[in-house]
Amino acid sequence: MRRGAAVVGALGLVAAMIGWSTARSEPSTGIAPAVDSAVSTAVTTVAVGRFDATYAGLVTPLTTERASRAAGPRSVPAGAGGALGTPQVGVGTTSAVAPAETPSPVSAIEGDLRDALQRADRRERLPRGLAEQGSVLRDDARPLPARCTAEPGESRHQVCAVGDRASDRTAVLIGSSHVMMWLPGLRDQAERAGVRLLVYVKYGCAPYTFTMRRGYVPWTECMQWRDWAIDDAVAQRPELVIAGSHAWVDISSPSGSALTGSSFDDAWRGGVSGLVTRLAPVTDAGGRVTVVGDTTRRTLDPGRCAESRRGNYGRCEQRITLDTVHLNDLTREAAEGAGGDYYDPGELVCLDARCPVASGGRFVFRDRLGHVSATYARHVGAALAERVGLMR
């Protein structure tokens, strides 16, 4: 019965493929309330820090030199170093286990996923303590303070650093919220690896070199941010660039209409390869450019499903959508064809094309848009860092 339902679902998805590429662009995720937040500073700032138990052991700058909105944002000077602040905004954790445990390798992650899918086959309910956290799941995110990302109406932002902020080894994270969602895990691993990780993010804006549409017109500020972010990132002479985006975007044709079908596919390939090509100075200098694939969107909100009376592992499970598979295939083809690397994070969140709502006592996804929870991102951080080239 389950097999037949999967076949029917797959046929429905194939039929839906005709118009999938005109899906709306990713909305801004906003900034979560700063419950256990730390004050941050741009990389251009040299801060004197102190330990403050109020911030759960985070270092907070005592003195900063901040650029006002009126004065415009400031970015990291090429090759800049120095003592840097710690941007971290977010709330709590959604985990049934201690959040400070050592992140799991891929083999352990796969074991947890398999166990979760077996629970789904048995229609087991989620542990009560975990299900009760469904209402706050959407807040299980640790994005940077607003000044460290390009907010609506902005095409630049202050460039903030995480990880080992005093290191002379530099890596870059660039893209939309679907690359930002991995930051909690990458930040921890960057600190362990002795790498300064610079972040370039505009919510909803893909870093690929095609023209995105928003509100039925070309999204000018997105393109302006992308061009600035790429140029600024290259100027930092990083050893590694990690780039990524959500896969469901509107791409504009020269006439301004939304591209569909093979025209969309061609534009997507061109955009991904265009990004890698513009990052060629990184690879020419012996560095690495890794493009990260996307995760799948969800039919049901994971938190609400988990809290509902009928909520269980089986009902709240999500299968990978065919459009996600298709776009990830195009992304791999384009990235590798242009001389970059590609990593599909699907192995961290799904198994056999099935994506459980929770794995290893943690929620995997935090919303219907396919954003991974900060708790889960930290859990898989070591495996992700190794796969994208952050650990060496």
Side-chain angles (χ1 to χ4, degrees):
M1 184 72 180
R2 185 177 181 83
R3 191 173 183 180
V7 172
V8 172
L11 290 174
L13 284 170
V14 171
M17 286 279 289
I18 296 174
W20 69 265
S21 63
T22 58
R24 289 182 299 172
S25 299
E26 168 194 19
S28 170
T29 57
I31 299 296
V35 175
D36 70 339
S37 64
V39 179
S40 72
T41 177
V43 176
T44 48
T45 300
V46 176
V48 179
R50 67 175 181 183
F51 177 86
D52 188 339
T54 304
Y55 295 108
L58 299 173
V59 176
T60 62
L62 289 176
T63 59
T64 61
E65 181 185 346
R66 293 172 52 187
S68 66
R69 292 273 179 176
R74 293 184 296 181
S75 61
V76 192
L84 308 172
T86 308
Q88 181 173 337
V89 175
V91 297
T93 180
T94 52
S95 173
V97 297
E101 64 179 317
T102 302
S104 294
V106 171
S107 58
I109 294 168
E110 180 179 337
D112 287 341
L113 292 170
R114 191 173 302 282
D115 176 73
L117 295 181
Q118 291 171 351
R119 293 174 185 272
D121 292 339
R122 296 192 296 266
R123 290 296 191 268
E124 286 187 21
R125 292 192 64 85
L126 273 69
R128 182 176 178 181
L130 189 63
E132 288 175 347
Q133 298 177 55
S135 60
V136 297
L137 176 59
R138 295 178 68 87
D139 292 328
D140 188 12
R142 295 179 183 274
L144 298 177
R147 63 178 172 274
C148 298
T149 59
E151 299 297 302
E154 297 178 341
S155 57
R156 293 192 180 192
H157 56 80
Q158 294 182 354
V159 181
C160 296
V162 297
D164 184 351
R165 300 174 304 280
S167 175
D168 58 0
R169 295 182 57 205
T170 299
V172 162
L173 187 72
I174 181 172
S176 71
S177 66
H178 273 227
V179 76
M180 169 74 102
M181 67 186 181
W182 300 112
L183 183 62
L186 292 175
R187 177 194 62 221
D188 294 346
Q189 298 307 310
E191 186 169 4
R192 290 186 175 94
V195 174
R196 180 181 69 151
L197 181 60
L198 305 182
V199 182
Y200 296 82
V201 165
K202 182 170 178 63
Y203 295 113
C205 180
Y208 309 136
T209 60
F210 45 61
T211 301
M212 283 187 64
R213 295 197 336 154
R214 175 158 285 193
Y216 304 103
V217 296
W219 192 10
T220 303
E221 72 185 58
C222 171
M223 293 181 286
Q224 291 173 340
W225 169 83
R226 178 197 66 210
D227 291 341
W228 163 79
I230 293 173
D231 290 344
D232 200 81
V234 168
Q236 310 310 319
R237 300 175 183 174
E239 298 178 10
L240 170 69
V241 176
I242 306 165
S245 173
H246 55 300
W248 27 283
V249 302
D250 275 357
I251 301 180
S252 178
S253 70
S255 65
S257 60
L259 293 177
T260 59
S262 61
S263 296
F264 180 97
D265 291 355
D266 291 343
W268 182 273
R269 287 191 197 92
V272 174
S273 63
L275 170 66
V276 176
T277 299
R278 288 189 57 178
L279 292 170
V282 175
T283 53
D284 290 345
R288 181 175 178 180
V289 174
T290 302
V291 180
V292 178
D294 195 18
T295 55
T296 192
R297 284 180 290 172
R298 300 183 58 87
T299 302
L300 299 175
D301 180 273
R304 291 180 180 177
C305 184
E307 284 192 322
S308 68
R309 288 190 302 170
R310 295 190 297 158
N312 59 58
Y313 279 96
R315 182 170 184 270
C316 299
E317 178 187 311
Q318 176 66 47
R319 288 186 174 272
I320 296 177
T321 60
L322 293 184
D323 58 330
T324 301
V325 174
H326 178 65
L327 261 295
N328 280 347
D329 286 345
L330 294 182
T331 303
R332 177 193 297 275
E333 175 188 331
E336 294 179 346
D341 296 306
Y342 172 82
Y343 175 64
D344 183 354
E347 67 173 350
L348 304 179
V349 297
C350 305
L351 185 65
D352 299 331
R354 298 171 59 188
C355 311
V357 65
S359 177
R362 306 164 186 79
F363 279 108
V364 178
F365 297 98
R366 66 180 178 85
D367 58 23
R368 291 181 60 186
L369 299 178
H371 291 110
V372 172
S373 71
T375 298
Y376 195 77
R378 289 188 64 193
H379 175 59
V380 301
L384 176 64
E386 179 183 357
R387 291 294 202 261
V388 300
L390 186 60
M391 308 296 287
R392 68 173 191 179

